[in-house]
Structures are given as structure tokens and as C-alpha cells.
Amino acid sequence: APAEEAAPAEEAAPAEEGEPAEDAAPVSTVEYPLEGNPSFTYTVIMRNNVLAMLGDDDFSVTSAYKGLVEGTGADITFNALGEATANEKINISMASGDMTDFTVSVGNYAWNMTGAIEEGILFDFVPYLDECAPDYKALLENDEDVRAAATNPDGTVSLFVSQAAPVQDKGIVIRQDWLDDLGMEKPTNREDLETVLHAFQSEKGATMPILTNSGLETGLSHSFNCAFAGLNGVNFQLAEPNGKEVVANFASENFIDYIVYLNHLYDEGLIIDDFMSTGREQGNWEVSFYGGKCGVWADGYRELDPANRENADDPNYRVSPMALTDYECHVSDVSTASMNGQVFLTAACEDIENAMKVMNWCYTKDGIYNGLYGQKGDGWDLVDGKVELNDNILNNPNGWSVNNALNWYGGQQWMPTCASMEYYSLICAPESYEGLEFWTEAYGDNSMKLPSAVALSPDDTTEYYSLASDVLTLFSENAIKVVTGQLDEAGYRDVIEQANGMGLTRMTELYQAAYDEYLAEN
């Protein structure tokens, strides 16, 4: 048992192929199913691809939900929100106190968990972990990335986080069928990339050859070693590989180079003004590449599955992974923590202990299998102790791709899970699995990213967020202006100085102190 007073656990044996790692699924001390058939409410976000499959239904019709009900004895009523308006509706519900027991998002509190606890939106899980969530506690103790993702600066824990295999699962995607038709090689440097983009524009009619969204995400940021994930928050990174100086991503030389390069692509007509209203939230991201408007974009490994061609206007649609390899990449996204399937338990819950036990089941061996593949017997079974998927997932009778079938059989969009490389080998088309390997190797190390254990103290976090909002607004507005040519590089450097005066200098000092403390202890 993972409880503190228990004897130290023996070293876990290596997992059999197709099985979750033993240290991710210790023997649970919670007895399932739970007594009394507890009931809960849950706010979930229905992604566009899920809506296309489920129609007017919600996750309660899926195999993974049925497995959770059977395994835990609990049932859940879903409050299903569309992707475009979810954040706004969640913020309104929190402000009014009309919250469900579980939620996949806390809206504007996503960057301030301690504030959410202080204001009665969330609460601290830690006092409940030993008795109600021993399997989750064991995972937190065994995986530094998961622990860092789940733990607030003051040591509180307020969400359930999924565990991922250590792979780079997204990167740059290119229309391979267009390359083949034009007799062109996959670009490996910026010069070749531009040649290909111009060809896609002139020969294939691509109106936005490289797909860019309103957050300036193109997949190319890896090429510039900037720890950048859109204009959603001010992140910090190292100024050089394994260095001792921290710098805000938007104020780094790497990011300046990145947006200046995007301006070059804009001047070349390879990025158009439509990017300011393009994104998954707007519902026109997938339409852009399935409709043949673009030939290069940022996406995940699932998009490499040839089955996706059925969604495209062109029956020859085929994509492959690419990366610009004429540089040393020191900023990758390899981590064993995944925010897919993250779950918050809100302060509105009146049955905290049973709610914790329901989510803890997701980290047990049975719960892990259910979260990944659905209810045993529906889409998979154990054969000689190993998972084997059947035709309900691999050759779905409804014509669903493996990706879409897993949205019905598995529960990764709404429940926490623990994935492994065996999982990817089972569910991936060969092209998708090769993409995982390609990106993981191409994108190198994390030596310019702050270690996951670097965190601000509660007081520093409060001070940080009191400054961060205005600084983020300043950067996000002006980074776009650089891309469109309304602001030159010198002007953006003036913006950085303005941000320093608004609080960025102090924000940097806080993270520098936290990193210095980490270096002293390690």
C-alpha cells in the first residue's frame, strides 16, 4: 500500500508487453465497487470530432463509461459543452457557484490553482490521498513529471493528471501526396521549406500553405528553441542549453527570431490574414487541411493515420511527419505527464471521499485498461495476459477510424489514464507509430526547458499572477503585430522593455530564484 505508514514497496517488475507499468498501478486498498451507488455530475467538453461521432449523445453511451460504472458502482450525469463556448460557460458557472462535482476545465483559473482553492472553487486532495486515492498517490510519488503537473506551488494537489509515455506525440505534418505529385523531397531546412510552400501555393492552390492560428502556432517554434505553446501564458525557459539564466519565452531571443521569421513568411504571402480567426476553437482548423487550403501544419500523431483521408476532399490525401533538422533542438515536449483527460474535483462536491475513490479507480490496473480501451470484451480482451484489440476498434463496423473508435471505447477525453509505448503500438497505424519515433528523435532534448520540479512558492505565485495578466496581454497583442508587419523587431524590443516596467522583471526574478534553489538542491 502506498500509505506513508506502510512498509516500503518492493521494486516493481518490468511490465509485460501490453500491460500498464506496475508502479503506475499498485494494488489498491480501496474496495470496488463502492457501496451505495454514489452519483456525481461532470462538466465535459465535446471536441468537434467527438460530436461528429456521438451526435446528440454524451459520454454516458460509451464503452469506457459503462466500464467505469461496472468497476466503481458509481454513475455520472454529464454536462456536455461545445468546444467553442466551453471556456466562457465554465467561467460563468464558477462565478455563480453553480458547479458540477467534476470538471475537465476550470477556465481562467487554469493558471492559478492555489487561487481557485482559496476562493472555494477547488480544494486540496492531499488529506484524502492515503485513504481514498492510494493508487493516484503512488503515481505521484513515482513519476516526477506527473507530480509536478498535479502539485501546486504550496504542495496542494487539486487535479487528477494522466500519465503518458515519454514521446514527442506532435510536430509538423506535411501533405506527402502533394510532395510526391510534385516530385519534391520533404524539406529539412527553412530554405527548402519555403520552396515547398511556394510550390504548394502555385501548383496545388493552397491559400494558406503553412497553417497558422491566432496563437501563432505553426510547429516551427521547435526550430527556434522557444518554449512556446501559443499565446496562453507567459512561460519561462533557459537562455541556453543547461544554462543558469531563465528568460520569459516572449522576451527570449529565440522567440524574437521566431516571430520575425513568421513575418518573413507573411511578406512572402505564405501566411495570410485569415490566421487571426483560425483555430480549433473556431472550428476551422481541420477544415483548413482536409479542404486542401494548406500543406504544412502542426498536429498530433493520430493525424498521420491514413484512415483520415476519408475526412478529406481529396481521396489521395496522405500526410507524413517532418522536422527541420539543420539545427540543434533543445526544447521538446517529451514528458510523462499528459493534460489530456485531466479531471478536477470541485468544492461543490458533497461526497468527496467517494468521488476521490471513483477517480482513483482510473489508476488501478482495471481502470487503466478501461480508460485506454473501454470495457473489457467490447473492443479488447486479455489473451495470455496481453491486450488484444478486436475489430470493433481495429476495423470498426460503423466505419470509424481507430482514432474515432477509441473516442467511444476508451475514455481519454474525459477520464485520467496511464499510457505506455505498448498502448501506442496497439492503437497506432504503422504511419502514426513511425511519426512518434521520428518526432521524438528529431526534436532532441529538453535542455532549454525549466525542470518540471521548478515551482514558485505560494506567496510568489500570488505575486506572479498579479503581474502576469497585463504582461501577457501586452505580448500577445504585439507579437501578432510583428507577424503582420505593423511592428518591427526594434519596436518589439521596446515592448519587452515596457513589459519589464509592468512587472516582467519581477516575474523573471521570481522564476530565477526558484531555479537557483533547484540547482542548489540538485
Side-chain angles (χ1 to χ4, degrees), residues 103-150:
T103 178
V104 295
S105 171
V106 286
N108 293 342
Y109 281 100
W111 301 99
N112 188 11
M113 299 298 177
T114 53
I117 293 175
E118 292 170 358
E119 297 183 25
I121 303 296
L122 303 176
F123 68 94
D124 180 18
F125 291 176
V126 172
Y128 299 90
L129 289 175
D130 281 337
E131 183 176 351
C132 302
D135 298 87
Y136 186 49
K137 181 184 178 185
L139 177 59
L140 296 178
E141 292 174 341
N142 289 325
D143 191 309
E144 180 180 347
D145 287 337
V146 174
R147 182 169 62 252

Side-chain angles (χ1 to χ4, degrees), residues 493-513:
R493 292 184 184 276
D494 289 340
V495 168
I496 294 174
E497 290 305 312
Q498 184 181 351
N500 284 333
M502 293 172 58
L504 182 63
T505 295
R506 179 56 180 159
M507 293 163 63
T508 305
E509 288 174 352
L510 293 173
Y511 262 102
Q512 185 67 61

Side-chain angles (χ1 to χ4, degrees), residues 246-410:
V246 304
V247 61
N249 54 349
F250 296 137
S252 67
E253 292 298 320
N254 312 75
F255 184 74
I256 295 173
D257 290 344
Y258 175 60
I259 57 176
V260 168
Y261 182 67
L262 294 187
N263 169 249
H264 166 68
L265 296 182
Y266 181 87
D267 288 343
E268 290 285 309
L270 300 173
I271 293 175
I272 60 175
D273 287 333
D274 285 355
F275 81 85
M276 287 181 278
S277 59
T278 298
R280 300 184 193 280
E281 295 80 5
Q282 285 77 23
N284 54 6
W285 183 260
E286 289 86 355
V287 171
S288 297
F289 53 78
Y290 285 144
K293 294 181 179 179
C294 68
V296 173
W297 65 97
D299 222 314
Y301 70 97
R302 295 180 187 274
E303 190 53 45
L304 302 173
D305 189 336
N308 286 301
R309 70 178 52 184
E310 67 188 35
N311 301 317
D313 294 345
D314 184 350
N316 298 312
Y317 176 90
R318 184 164 62 92
V319 300
S320 65
M322 64 162 279
L324 304 186
T325 55
D326 59 334
Y327 64 93
E328 292 185 2
C329 177
H330 302 293
V331 173
S332 75
D333 295 320
V334 174
S335 171
T336 55
S338 171
M339 305 314 282
N340 288 334
Q342 69 174 19
V343 180
F344 301 87
L345 178 55
T346 77
C349 182
E350 297 180 354
D351 189 2
I352 292 175
E353 292 187 356
N354 276 327
M356 292 285 294
K357 291 175 180 178
V358 169
M359 285 298 122
N360 179 72
W361 181 79
C362 298
Y363 298 93
T364 66
K365 193 170 185 178
D366 288 342
I368 290 172
Y369 282 143
N370 183 73
L372 296 176
Y373 313 111
Q375 192 170 26
K376 186 178 179 181
D378 278 357
W380 68 282
D381 221 317
L382 284 178
V383 179
D384 296 328
K386 297 181 180 180
V387 172
E388 283 194 5
L389 304 182
N390 62 35
D391 280 349
N392 283 336
I393 292 179
L394 297 178
N395 297 288
N396 185 265
N398 295 318
W400 298 336
S401 66
V402 172
N403 181 19
N404 283 340
L406 285 169
N407 285 329
W408 194 89
Y409 288 94

Side-chain angles (χ1 to χ4, degrees), residues 145 164-173 217-223 225-229 297-304 321-324 327 329-338 340 420-421 424 428 431-447 449:
D145 287 337
V167 294
Q168 175 86 26
D169 62 0
K170 55 185 176 294
I172 307 174
V173 172
E217 294 174 89
T218 61
L220 298 177
S221 59
H222 294 288
S223 311
N225 278 317
C226 52
F228 167 68
W297 65 97
D299 222 314
Y301 70 97
R302 295 180 187 274
E303 190 53 45
L304 302 173
M322 64 162 279
L324 304 186
Y327 64 93
C329 177
H330 302 293
V331 173
S332 75
D333 295 320
V334 174
S335 171
T336 55
S338 171
N340 288 334
S420 63
M421 286 306 295
Y424 290 115
C428 281
E431 293 84 353
S432 296
Y433 194 83
E434 290 169 5
L436 288 172
E437 295 181 316
F438 175 87
W439 285 327
T440 302
E441 180 179 357
Y443 287 144
D445 58 45
N446 281 323
S447 61
K449 295 189 76 172

Side-chain angles (χ1 to χ4, degrees), residues 449-461:
K449 295 189 76 172
L450 281 178
S452 56
V454 175
L456 303 181
S457 69
D459 289 342
D460 288 349
T461 300

